[in-house]
Amino acid sequence: MSGTSALPAPRRFAWMLSPYALPLHALRILAKCALPLIIWFSLGRLVRWGLLLLAATVSHGSWYQARLVLVMFLFTLVVMTSLATTVGMLYVVREALLETRARRAGGEAKESLLGALNRTALVFAGIYTTWGFVKEDARDFVNIDMMRQPDRYVLDAGSGDDSGVMAGLINLDPKVSLATMAVAYGVKWYFGRRHEAGNGRFSGVLATFGELAFAFFGINAVAAAVGARSDWIGGRSAVAGWHDLMAGAEGGIPGWQQVSEWLGEVWPYVIDALAVPLAWLTVGILVYGAYAEDTQTTIRGTRLEQAAVHLERTHDWTRRALAKLSAGWTGRWIPLLNSLRLTARGGAPLFGLFALCYVGLHIGGDFLGRAGRYLAASEEPYLWFATDVPIDYVTDLIVTLVTMCLIAATFDLAATRARTEGGAEGREPVTAGSAEPGRPSPSS
């Protein structure tokens, strides 16, 4: 890929390289790609809703434990649907990006959707579960199950019986959970090794499915073992121990209570305003392939580079052992480090404006949903059953579409600015559709 010859005419497009042009750039992408984005979002919502309804239906009847295993399987597919929808929406806007035009002018081949999905799957799973996005899926499953038979839930709760309503994710027997965990771990291990070796078109997706299933069955087994089945996602003995430790520190360290209270109030806003936007930006960077798989680019210019050079000179068996021990770390954190480096090259104003727009967009979405419910308010009883779903759909559609375009625009500006300012320290980064000598291309 040539350095700057593929860039747009500077006078015409110079304003687009400014970090403060991010909102306009995002709206330009949205205007060009609105129809495919709406189709991807709608299909993803339809499949997700169908899987949740099927899981809620299957969770009642004979062979109860076998049914709950199937429920967990379907719930894992729900998360995989979110993965496919997110990657698909980011993928369909790539042709509207300046960076993509520069890559095409440089001779880079177009990458398939499967290649982007395979590369993004494992990291997406880690982000999705680490930052608690899976809680919304669990909450929607519970709500759908309750709305299917609300009378049964109320009557059985009053009599003290376990109706099984809203309990399809927590009633699985711990022994069954452990057995299915072993199967899921085998799937995760086998396809994970194939993905690391670059073998198999679907290896990354299947490894992600195994990892998610392993995590969900494991959470269920641990929650049942410690008697915290009522809180399938949030209950952790480690969390309780941490709170006990903090309570002891408040009594023994002067001023600790005031500092901890202040941090407790501020920290959720820090996570929502900075960490969550960066997590989604990481997913976008992985989809577009920039710096996604090049570890050497990440550590270039740091002390780790010398360690890597030394590692290359060690014995072959030593290298293999270290690769096995560090596989989980590199798979999880190298993409995050790469996204931070790319964002840093784009400049602090760019990421700051991205985070500000992300937060403002979601706050505006909340007000939009409230406005829709206010306009649809009626004295007719239970009319909200019919109006809430379309209101939520329209609100989520607008917020999600603009969010995806905002992520794409942020990547586009950061990558373009980094390339115009000299690239990755005189070396072109490994991008989707290209490969280092002796290494298979992600597109293959």
Side-chain angles (χ1 to χ4, degrees):
M1 183 169 66
S2 60
T4 57
S5 59
L7 290 177
R11 292 183 180 179
R12 182 180 177 184
F13 293 96
W15 66 272
M16 300 179 68
L17 300 182
S18 170
Y20 303 105
L22 176 62
L24 292 177
H25 195 31
L27 292 177
R28 182 187 69 86
I29 295 173
L30 177 61
K32 284 190 173 184
C33 307
L35 181 58
L37 285 172
I38 293 174
I39 294 174
W40 266 101
F41 178 84
S42 302
L43 287 177
R45 279 303 175 95
L46 180 62
V47 173
R48 179 179 179 272
W49 180 85
L51 288 172
L52 287 173
L53 179 60
L54 179 60
T57 305
V58 169
S59 64
H60 304 282
S62 57
W63 295 80
Y64 188 55
Q65 291 299 317
R67 286 175 174 270
L68 295 188
V69 172
L70 180 57
V71 167
M72 202 68 71
F73 173 82
L74 292 171
F75 188 79
T76 306
L77 288 181
V78 169
V79 179
M80 296 296 292
T81 301
S82 299
L83 161 66
T85 304
T86 302
V87 173
M89 294 179 71
L90 290 170
Y91 180 84
V92 296
V93 304
R94 65 185 302 159
E95 298 302 326
L97 305 184
L98 300 175
E99 178 68 12
T100 303
R101 296 179 191 175
R103 293 182 184 182
R104 296 289 180 269
E108 180 183 306
K110 183 178 180 180
E111 186 188 26
S112 66
L113 174 62
L114 180 60
L117 185 64
N118 214 32
R119 181 178 58 248
T120 311
L122 282 170
V123 177
F124 180 91
I127 291 174
Y128 201 80
T129 54
T130 298
W131 297 107
F133 299 123
V134 71
K135 288 183 179 180
E136 182 178 351
D137 297 322
R139 183 167 52 249
D140 288 344
F141 168 84
V142 169
N143 290 335
I144 289 176
D145 198 19
M146 183 185 68
M147 295 302 295
R148 287 180 63 254
Q149 36 191 343
D151 295 339
R152 178 183 174 188
Y153 175 75
V154 174
L155 293 175
D156 288 352
S159 62
D161 298 331
D162 184 7
S163 63
V165 179
M166 303 173 60
L169 296 176
I170 61 176
N171 273 352
L172 189 62
D173 186 86
K175 296 179 181 178
V176 179
S177 294
L178 291 174
T180 49
M181 276 179 64
V183 175
Y185 183 82
V187 173
K188 166 191 171 183
W189 180 85
Y190 175 74
F191 288 104
R193 300 290 80 79
R194 289 180 59 83
H195 181 62
E196 290 177 2
N199 299 325
R201 296 182 62 189
F202 299 94
S203 57
V205 176
L206 292 174
T208 302
F209 180 86
E211 181 163 334
L212 288 170
F214 176 79
F216 294 154
F217 283 114
I219 290 173
N220 188 84
V222 172
V226 299
R229 299 163 70 113
S230 60
D231 191 1
W232 184 71
I233 293 293
R236 301 289 189 278
S237 57
V239 174
W242 171 260
H243 287 308
D244 292 340
L245 179 62
M246 291 297 100
E250 290 178 1
I253 302 178
W256 182 269
Q257 181 177 359
Q258 290 76 10
V259 174
S260 62
E261 289 178 354
W262 180 81
L263 287 176
E265 295 176 357
V266 173
W267 187 247
Y269 298 104
V270 174
I271 294 297
D272 291 340
L274 297 177
V276 173
L278 180 60
W280 285 118
L281 183 59
T282 301
V283 173
I285 291 173
L286 286 172
V287 170
Y288 297 129
Y291 308 98
E293 298 174 344
D294 186 11
T295 303
Q296 194 68 29
T297 299
T298 301
I299 64 178
R300 183 178 297 276
T302 67
R303 295 180 181 180
L304 291 177
E305 183 178 16
Q306 295 299 323
V309 172
H310 177 72
L311 178 61
E312 289 296 326
R313 298 172 181 170
T314 58
H315 194 270
D316 181 61
W317 286 105
T318 306
R319 290 202 304 272
R320 293 183 182 180
L322 289 175
K324 293 294 182 183
L325 292 174
S326 64
W329 187 88
T330 56
R332 291 296 184 197
W333 297 109
I334 287 297
L336 296 178
L337 292 175
N338 285 325
S339 67
L340 286 172
R341 287 191 60 150
L342 179 62
T343 307
R345 290 193 184 114
L350 177 62
F351 178 71
L353 186 57
F354 165 71
L356 182 63
C357 291
Y358 180 93
V359 173
L361 177 62
H362 285 74
I363 293 176
D366 291 339
F367 281 102
L368 181 62
R370 294 181 185 181
R373 289 180 176 83
Y374 176 79
L375 294 175
S378 172
E379 296 181 356
E380 293 293 331
Y382 305 111
L383 183 63
W384 60 272
F385 278 111
T387 59
D388 268 11
V389 172
I391 291 173
D392 289 339
Y393 169 80
V394 172
T395 302
D396 292 343
L397 173 69
I398 295 174
V399 172
T400 304
L401 263 60
V402 179
T403 298
M404 295 299 107
C405 293
L406 189 64
I407 293 171
T410 304
F411 161 80
D412 196 20
L413 291 178
T416 303
R417 287 167 60 87
R419 182 161 39 79
T420 56
E421 292 173 3
E425 301 176 4
R427 176 180 179 270
E428 290 296 332
V430 176
T431 57
S434 62
E436 292 182 353
R439 184 176 181 179
S441 168
S443 301
S444 60

